[in-house]
Coordinates of all heavy atoms in Angstrom, one line a residue:
M1 N 9.4 118.5 4.0 CA 8.3 119.3 4.3 C 6.9 118.6 3.9 O 5.9 118.9 4.5 CB 8.4 120.6 3.5 CG 9.3 121.6 4.1 SD 8.7 122.1 5.7 CE 9.5 123.6 5.9
S2 N 7.0 117.8 3.0 CA 5.7 117.1 2.6 C 5.2 116.2 3.7 O 4.0 116.1 3.8 CB 5.9 116.3 1.3 OG 6.9 115.3 1.5
S3 N 6.1 115.6 4.5 CA 5.6 114.8 5.6 C 4.9 115.6 6.6 O 3.9 115.2 7.2 CB 6.7 114.0 6.2 OG 7.6 114.9 6.8
I4 N 5.4 116.8 6.9 CA 4.7 117.7 7.9 C 3.3 118.2 7.3 O 2.3 118.2 8.0 CB 5.6 118.9 8.2 CG1 6.8 118.5 8.9 CG2 4.8 120.0 9.0 CD1 7.9 119.6 9.1
K5 N 3.3 118.5 6.0 CA 2.0 118.9 5.4 C 1.0 117.8 5.5 O -0.2 118.0 5.8 CB 2.3 119.3 4.0 CG 1.1 119.7 3.2 CD 1.4 120.1 1.8 CE 0.1 120.5 1.0 NZ 0.4 120.7 -0.4
R6 N 1.5 116.5 5.2 CA 0.6 115.4 5.2 C 0.1 115.1 6.6 O -1.1 114.9 6.8 CB 1.3 114.1 4.7 CG 0.4 112.9 4.7 CD 1.2 111.7 4.0 NE 0.3 110.6 3.9 CZ 0.3 109.6 4.9 NH1 1.1 109.7 6.0 NH2 -0.5 108.6 4.8
K7 N 0.9 115.3 7.6 CA 0.6 115.1 9.0 C -0.5 116.1 9.4 O -1.5 115.7 10.1 CB 1.8 115.2 9.9 CG 1.5 114.9 11.3 CD 2.8 114.9 12.2 CE 2.5 114.7 13.6 NZ 3.8 114.8 14.4
L8 N -0.3 117.3 9.1 CA -1.2 118.4 9.4 C -2.6 118.2 8.7 O -3.6 118.4 9.3 CB -0.7 119.8 9.1 CG 0.5 120.2 9.9 CD1 1.1 121.5 9.4 CD2 0.1 120.4 11.4
E9 N -2.6 117.7 7.5 CA -3.8 117.4 6.8 C -4.6 116.3 7.4 O -5.8 116.4 7.6 CB -3.5 117.1 5.3 CG -3.1 118.3 4.5 CD -2.8 117.9 3.0 OE1 -2.7 116.7 2.7 OE2 -2.5 118.9 2.3
R10 N -3.9 115.3 7.8 CA -4.5 114.1 8.5 C -5.1 114.6 9.9 O -6.2 114.2 10.2 CB -3.5 113.0 8.7 CG -3.2 112.3 7.4 CD -2.0 111.3 7.6 NE -2.3 110.3 8.6 CZ -2.9 109.1 8.3 NH1 -3.3 108.9 7.1 NH2 -3.1 108.2 9.3
Q11 N -4.3 115.4 10.6 CA -4.8 115.8 11.9 C -6.1 116.7 11.7 O -7.0 116.5 12.5 CB -3.7 116.7 12.6 CG -4.0 117.1 14.0 CD -2.9 117.9 14.6 OE1 -2.0 118.3 13.9 NE2 -2.9 118.0 15.9
K12 N -6.1 117.6 10.7 CA -7.3 118.4 10.5 C -8.4 117.5 10.1 O -9.6 117.7 10.5 CB -6.9 119.4 9.4 CG -8.1 120.4 9.1 CD -7.7 121.4 8.0 CE -8.8 122.4 7.8 NZ -10.0 121.8 7.3
A13 N -8.2 116.5 9.2 CA -9.3 115.6 8.8 C -9.8 114.8 10.0 O -11.0 114.6 10.1 CB -8.7 114.6 7.8
K14 N -9.0 114.4 10.9 CA -9.4 113.7 12.1 C -10.3 114.7 13.0 O -11.4 114.2 13.5 CB -8.3 113.3 13.0 CG -7.6 112.0 12.4 CD -6.4 111.6 13.3 CE -5.7 110.5 12.7 NZ -4.5 110.1 13.5
Q15 N -10.0 115.9 13.1 CA -10.7 116.8 13.9 C -12.1 117.1 13.2 O -13.1 117.3 13.9 CB -10.0 118.1 14.1 CG -8.8 118.0 15.0 CD -8.0 119.2 15.1 OE1 -8.1 120.2 14.4 NE2 -7.0 119.2 16.1
D16 N -12.1 117.2 11.9 CA -13.3 117.5 11.2 C -14.2 116.3 11.0 O -15.4 116.4 10.6 CB -13.0 118.0 9.8 CG -12.3 119.4 9.8 OD1 -12.4 120.1 10.8 OD2 -11.7 119.7 8.8
G17 N -13.7 115.1 11.3 CA -14.5 113.9 11.2 C -14.6 113.4 9.8 O -15.4 112.6 9.4
T18 N -13.6 113.9 8.9 CA -13.6 113.4 7.5 C -12.5 112.4 7.3 O -12.4 111.9 6.2 CB -13.4 114.6 6.6 OG1 -12.2 115.2 6.9 CG2 -14.6 115.6 6.7
F19 N -11.8 112.0 8.3 CA -10.7 111.0 8.2 C -11.4 109.7 8.0 O -12.4 109.4 8.7 CB -9.8 111.0 9.5 CG -8.6 110.3 9.3 CD1 -7.7 110.6 8.3 CD2 -8.3 109.2 10.1 CE1 -6.5 109.9 8.2 CE2 -7.1 108.5 10.0 CZ -6.2 108.9 9.0
L20 N -10.9 108.9 7.1 CA -11.5 107.6 6.7 C -11.9 106.7 7.8 O -13.0 106.2 7.9 CB -10.7 106.9 5.7 CG -11.3 105.6 5.1 CD1 -12.5 105.9 4.3 CD2 -10.3 104.9 4.2
Y21 N -11.0 106.5 8.8 CA -11.3 105.5 9.8 C -12.5 105.9 10.6 O -13.3 105.0 11.1 CB -10.1 105.2 10.7 CG -10.0 106.1 11.9 CD1 -10.4 105.6 13.1 CD2 -9.3 107.3 11.8 CE1 -10.3 106.4 14.3 CE2 -9.2 108.1 13.0 CZ -9.7 107.6 14.2 OH -9.5 108.3 15.3
K22 N -12.8 107.1 10.9 CA -14.0 107.5 11.6 C -15.2 107.2 10.8 O -16.2 106.8 11.4 CB -13.9 109.0 12.0 CG -13.3 109.3 13.3 CD -13.7 110.6 13.9 CE -13.2 110.7 15.3 NZ -13.5 111.9 15.9
K23 N -15.2 107.4 9.5 CA -16.3 107.1 8.7 C -16.6 105.6 8.7 O -17.8 105.2 8.8 CB -16.1 107.6 7.2 CG -16.1 109.1 7.0 CD -16.0 109.4 5.6 CE -16.1 110.9 5.3 NZ -15.9 111.2 3.9
V24 N -15.6 104.8 8.7 CA -15.7 103.4 8.7 C -16.3 102.9 10.0 O -17.2 102.1 10.1 CB -14.4 102.7 8.4 CG1 -14.5 101.2 8.7 CG2 -13.9 103.0 7.0
L25 N -15.8 103.5 11.1 CA -16.2 103.2 12.5 C -17.7 103.6 12.6 O -18.5 102.9 13.2 CB -15.3 103.9 13.5 CG -15.5 103.5 14.9 CD1 -15.2 102.0 15.1 CD2 -14.5 104.2 15.8
A26 N -18.0 104.8 12.2 CA -19.4 105.2 12.2 C -20.4 104.3 11.5 O -21.4 104.0 11.9 CB -19.5 106.7 11.7
R27 N -19.9 103.9 10.3 CA -20.7 103.0 9.5 C -20.9 101.7 10.2 O -22.0 101.0 10.2 CB -20.1 102.7 8.2 CG -21.0 102.0 7.2 CD -20.4 101.8 5.8 NE -19.7 103.0 5.3 CZ -18.5 103.0 4.8 NH1 -17.8 101.8 4.7 NH2 -17.9 104.0 4.4
K28 N -19.9 101.2 10.9 CA -20.0 99.9 11.7 C -21.0 100.0 12.8 O -21.7 99.1 13.1 CB -18.6 99.6 12.2 CG -18.5 98.3 13.0 CD -17.1 98.0 13.4 CE -17.0 96.7 14.2 NZ -15.7 96.4 14.7
F29 N -21.0 101.2 13.5 CA -22.0 101.4 14.6 C -23.4 101.8 14.1 O -24.3 101.8 14.8 CB -21.5 102.5 15.5 CG -20.4 102.1 16.4 CD1 -19.2 102.8 16.5 CD2 -20.6 101.0 17.2 CE1 -18.2 102.4 17.4 CE2 -19.6 100.5 18.1 CZ -18.4 101.2 18.2
G30 N -23.4 102.1 12.8 CA -24.7 102.5 12.2 C -25.2 103.9 12.6 O -26.4 104.1 12.9
C31 N -24.2 104.8 12.6 CA -24.6 106.2 13.0 C -23.7 107.1 12.2 O -22.9 106.7 11.4 CB -24.3 106.4 14.5 SG -22.6 106.2 15.0
S32 N -23.9 108.4 12.3 CA -23.2 109.4 11.6 C -21.9 109.8 12.4 O -21.8 109.4 13.6 CB -24.0 110.7 11.4 OG -24.3 111.3 12.7
V33 N -21.0 110.5 11.8 CA -19.7 110.8 12.4 C -19.9 111.7 13.6 O -19.3 111.5 14.7 CB -18.8 111.4 11.4 CG1 -17.5 111.9 12.1 CG2 -18.4 110.4 10.3
P34 N -20.8 112.8 13.5 CA -21.0 113.6 14.7 C -21.6 112.8 15.9 O -21.3 113.0 17.1 CB -22.0 114.7 14.3 CG -21.8 114.7 12.8 CD -21.5 113.4 12.4
E35 N -22.5 111.8 15.6 CA -23.1 111.0 16.6 C -22.0 110.1 17.2 O -22.0 109.8 18.4 CB -24.3 110.2 16.1 CG -25.0 109.4 17.1 CD -26.2 108.6 16.6 OE1 -26.6 108.9 15.4 OE2 -26.6 107.7 17.3
L36 N -21.1 109.6 16.4 CA -20.0 108.8 16.8 C -19.2 109.5 17.8 O -18.7 109.0 18.8 CB -19.2 108.3 15.6 CG -17.9 107.5 16.0 CD1 -18.3 106.1 16.6 CD2 -17.1 107.3 14.8
N37 N -18.9 110.8 17.5 CA -18.1 111.6 18.4 C -18.7 111.8 19.7 O -18.1 111.7 20.8 CB -17.9 113.0 17.8 CG -16.9 113.0 16.6 OD1 -16.1 112.1 16.4 ND2 -17.1 114.0 15.7
K38 N -20.1 111.9 19.7 CA -20.8 112.0 21.0 C -20.7 110.7 21.8 O -20.5 110.7 23.0 CB -22.3 112.4 20.8 CG -22.5 113.8 20.3 CD -24.0 114.0 20.1 CE -24.3 115.3 19.4 NZ -25.7 115.5 19.1
R39 N -20.9 109.6 21.1 CA -20.8 108.3 21.7 C -19.4 108.1 22.3 O -19.3 107.6 23.4 CB -21.1 107.2 20.7 CG -22.5 107.1 20.4 CD -22.7 105.9 19.5 NE -24.1 105.7 19.1 CZ -24.6 104.6 18.5 NH1 -23.7 103.6 18.2 NH2 -25.8 104.5 18.2
L40 N -18.4 108.4 21.6 CA -17.0 108.2 22.0 C -16.7 109.1 23.2 O -16.0 108.6 24.2 CB -16.0 108.4 20.9 CG -16.0 107.4 19.8 CD1 -15.0 107.9 18.7 CD2 -15.7 106.0 20.3
K41 N -17.2 110.3 23.2 CA -17.0 111.2 24.3 C -17.7 110.7 25.6 O -17.1 110.7 26.7 CB -17.5 112.6 24.0 CG -17.1 113.7 24.9 CD -15.6 113.9 24.9 CE -15.2 115.2 25.4 NZ -13.8 115.4 25.6
R42 N -18.9 110.2 25.4 CA -19.7 109.7 26.5 C -19.0 108.4 27.1 O -18.9 108.2 28.3 CB -21.1 109.3 26.1 CG -22.0 108.9 27.2 CD -23.5 108.7 26.8 NE -23.6 107.8 25.7 CZ -24.3 108.0 24.6 NH1 -25.0 109.1 24.4 NH2 -24.3 107.1 23.6
R43 N -18.5 107.6 26.2 CA -17.8 106.4 26.6 C -16.5 106.7 27.4 O -16.2 106.1 28.4 CB -17.4 105.5 25.4 CG -16.7 104.3 25.7 CD -16.4 103.4 24.5 NE -15.8 102.2 24.9 CZ -14.9 101.6 24.2 NH1 -14.5 102.0 23.1 NH2 -14.4 100.4 24.7
E44 N -15.8 107.7 26.9 CA -14.6 108.2 27.6 C -14.9 108.7 29.0 O -14.3 108.3 30.0 CB -13.9 109.3 26.8 CG -12.6 109.8 27.5 CD -12.0 110.9 26.6 OE1 -12.4 111.1 25.5 OE2 -11.2 111.6 27.2
N45 N -16.0 109.4 29.2 CA -16.4 109.9 30.5 C -16.8 108.8 31.4 O -16.5 108.8 32.6 CB -17.6 110.9 30.3 CG -17.1 112.2 29.7 OD1 -15.9 112.6 29.8 ND2 -18.0 113.0 29.1
N46 N -17.6 107.8 30.9 CA -18.0 106.7 31.6 C -16.8 105.9 32.1 O -16.8 105.4 33.3 CB -19.0 105.8 30.9 CG -20.3 106.5 30.7 OD1 -20.7 107.4 31.4 ND2 -21.1 106.0 29.7
L47 N -15.9 105.7 31.3 CA -14.7 104.9 31.7 C -13.9 105.6 32.8 O -13.4 105.0 33.7 CB -13.8 104.6 30.5 CG -14.3 103.6 29.5 CD1 -13.4 103.5 28.2 CD2 -14.4 102.2 30.1
K48 N -13.8 106.9 32.7 CA -13.1 107.7 33.7 C -13.8 107.6 35.0 O -13.2 107.4 36.1 CB -13.0 109.2 33.3 CG -12.0 109.5 32.3 CD -11.9 111.0 32.0 CE -10.9 111.3 30.9 NZ -10.9 112.7 30.5
K49 N -15.2 107.6 35.0 CA -16.0 107.4 36.3 C -15.7 106.1 36.9 O -15.6 105.9 38.1 CB -17.4 107.6 36.0 CG -17.8 109.1 35.7 CD -19.3 109.1 35.4 CE -19.7 110.5 35.0 NZ -21.2 110.6 34.6
L50 N -15.7 105.0 36.0 CA -15.4 103.7 36.5 C -14.0 103.6 37.1 O -13.9 102.9 38.2 CB -15.6 102.7 35.4 CG -17.0 102.3 34.9 CD1 -17.0 101.4 33.7 CD2 -17.8 101.7 36.1
E51 N -13.1 104.2 36.5 CA -11.7 104.1 37.1 C -11.6 104.8 38.4 O -11.0 104.3 39.3 CB -10.7 104.8 36.1 CG -10.4 104.0 34.9 CD -9.6 104.7 33.9 OE1 -9.2 105.8 34.1 OE2 -9.2 104.1 32.8
D52 N -12.3 106.0 38.5 CA -12.4 106.7 39.8 C -13.0 105.9 40.9 O -12.6 105.8 42.0 CB -13.1 108.0 39.6 CG -12.3 109.0 38.8 OD1 -11.1 108.8 38.6 OD2 -12.9 110.0 38.3
N53 N -14.1 105.2 40.5 CA -14.9 104.4 41.5 C -14.0 103.2 42.0 O -14.0 102.9 43.2 CB -16.2 103.9 40.9 CG -17.2 105.0 40.8 OD1 -17.0 106.1 41.4 ND2 -18.2 104.8 40.0
N54 N -13.4 102.6 41.0 CA -12.5 101.4 41.4 C -11.4 101.8 42.3 O -11.0 101.1 43.2 CB -12.0 100.7 40.1 CG -13.2 99.9 39.4 OD1 -14.2 99.6 40.0 ND2 -13.0 99.7 38.2
N55 N -10.8 102.9 42.0 CA -9.6 103.3 42.8 C -10.1 103.7 44.3 O -9.4 103.5 45.2 CB -8.9 104.5 42.2 CG -8.2 104.1 40.9 OD1 -7.8 103.0 40.8 ND2 -7.9 105.1 40.1
G56 N -11.3 104.2 44.4 CA -11.8 104.6 45.7 C -12.1 103.4 46.6 O -12.0 103.5 47.8
K57 N -12.6 102.3 45.9 CA -13.0 101.1 46.7 C -11.8 100.3 47.2 O -11.9 99.6 48.2 CB -13.9 100.2 45.8 CG -15.3 100.9 45.5 CD -16.1 100.0 44.7 CE -17.4 100.6 44.4 NZ -18.2 99.8 43.5
E58 N -10.7 100.3 46.4 CA -9.6 99.4 46.8 C -8.7 100.0 47.8 O -8.6 101.1 48.0 CB -8.8 99.1 45.5 CG -9.6 98.2 44.6 CD -8.9 97.9 43.3 OE1 -7.9 98.7 42.9 OE2 -9.2 96.9 42.7

């Protein structure tokens, strides 16, 4: 049961932005965790658009 509890705590921490790796990544980019979330979301959307464009051209 402790492994399930640990997994759920880590998942919650990732969603809240308090998980360590997000803090480290945000520090590397020189921004806050909420700003990092926005950047990652924007990057994901841009990559999806690029994939759609490439598939349409070929």
Side-chain angles (χ1 to χ4, degrees):
M1 283 298 204
S2 63
S3 64
I4 294 172
K5 181 180 176 184
R6 181 174 181 268
K7 183 178 179 181
L8 290 174
E9 286 175 357
R10 288 171 57 87
Q11 186 178 14
K12 184 178 183 300
K14 285 180 184 179
Q15 289 173 351
D16 294 341
T18 57
F19 193 59
L20 181 63
Y21 90 95
K22 270 204 172 177
K23 286 184 180 178
V24 171
L25 193 59
R27 192 178 317 131
K28 183 177 179 181
F29 283 127
C31 63
S32 64
V33 174
E35 186 180 345
L36 175 69
N37 290 335
K38 289 179 188 176
R39 286 184 180 193
L40 292 176
K41 191 65 157 172
R42 185 173 59 225
R43 181 175 184 217
E44 182 181 343
N45 290 337
N46 289 340
L47 288 174
K48 284 182 183 178
K49 287 179 187 176
L50 285 175
E51 288 176 359
D52 291 342
N53 289 342
N54 289 340
N55 289 338
K57 291 180 182 177
E58 294 177 337

